[in-house]
Amino acid sequence: MDRTRAVLRKIAWSVFTIFFVIILNFFLFRVLPGDPARAGIRDPRLNKEAIEILRVRFGLDKPIINCFETLNPIKLGNCFINPMETQFFIYARNLLQGELGFSYHTNRPVVDILGERLWNTILLIGAGQILSILLGVAFGIFAAWKARTKVDYAAVSISLVAWSLPTFWLAILLLFWGSAIGLPVAGKATPGMSSYPLLQQWGDIARHMLLPTLTYTIVYMGEYTLIMRSSLLDVLSEDYILTARAKGLSTLQILRDHALKNAMLPLVTVIAINLGFTVAGVIQIESVFSWPGLGSAIYEAVIRRDFPVLQGAFLLIAVTVILANLLADLTYSYLDPRVKVE
């Protein structure tokens, strides 16, 4: 019962944090300078009447909230208007209905734009995370097992170099290398592939994924290797490991039955946090390889000052990070019963 109450308390705090992020996300884009209607559609031919029509179209003609017409510059307004007719409450009401507004640039629903791009990013992140976790854990275990040997020193050196590489720089290097050997270096699929059999379409997508996935894997594999090695070395120095060795257990048995589960705790936290932050962190990779994902959508929205798309993307990223941290907290107590969910 206490455990259930503790889990519910953590979920409640996560919901409260999401609520706070929603409020912050709304006001963040209302304090930016300039007219959003003019900023989103850069056409010098627009006259005042056309701009006003755009403001009405996107709901920018309504006050921000009671008593405030605008926030940059701050312009006071009527404090006794219906709160449901202000931009904030319209924004909150739309969120409850699953709506994030319309893009200034394409006039399409933001939900549709982010939905299309999100699946491409999940595809890229999923493949990269799985590979980096498997390789990082394997190399970390091997380096800890061969601690203070040439194998360990080589693994640590390579991991440090991989982790310290600037993502965009590594992506550009792999792009040049891939173009030299004939690999696809841009986009998700070859134009016209939609008319080919499904198996060939998947193979084409896999070829396009190779270079961005390799970039992602190299960077995060180095981080996971170093964390796994350090954590496992700490666990292997514990007294209960010494007792296990004294019982005559093999190295494989000690690792499998006694060491790995406890050594995974720090790695679980890093993986969970990375799952949240890498939704935004793949911006550089997607930009270099022109991968049509969430990162490239954010980059394009920044260039175009498409505030509704940015607002929706930031909210999505924040919620992902919060849920990833919640998942890490709950997974902690499962891996190690000594860690209480409080």
Side-chain angles (χ1 to χ4, degrees), residues 25 91 94-95 97-103 109-112 114 307-309 311-313 315-316:
N25 192 48
Y91 167 74
N94 289 341
L95 275 183
Q97 297 174 352
E99 299 178 10
L100 294 172
F102 290 85
S103 166
V110 174
V111 171
D112 293 346
L114 296 183
F307 294 155
V309 174
Q311 185 173 260
L315 179 61
L316 179 62

Side-chain angles (χ1 to χ4, degrees), residues 158-187:
I158 293 173
S159 299
L160 283 172
V161 171
W163 194 14
S164 61
L165 287 175
T167 305
F168 71 91
W169 182 78
L170 176 61
I172 292 173
L173 283 184
L174 291 178
L175 185 144
F176 282 119
W177 172 75
S179 62
I181 62 175
L183 287 175
V185 295

Side-chain angles (χ1 to χ4, degrees), residues 220-248:
Y220 286 96
M221 180 192 67
E223 178 184 9
Y224 294 155
T225 298
L226 293 172
I227 293 174
M228 188 66 201
R229 173 191 175 274
S230 176
S231 178
L232 188 56
L233 284 177
D234 289 339
V235 172
L236 290 176
S237 64
E238 296 287 344
D239 291 339
Y240 67 89
I241 298 296
L242 182 61
T243 303
R245 292 186 188 278
K247 290 180 179 179

Side-chain angles (χ1 to χ4, degrees), residues 133-145:
I133 290 170
L134 292 177
L135 294 175
V137 169
F139 290 156
I141 292 172
F142 193 64
W145 182 28

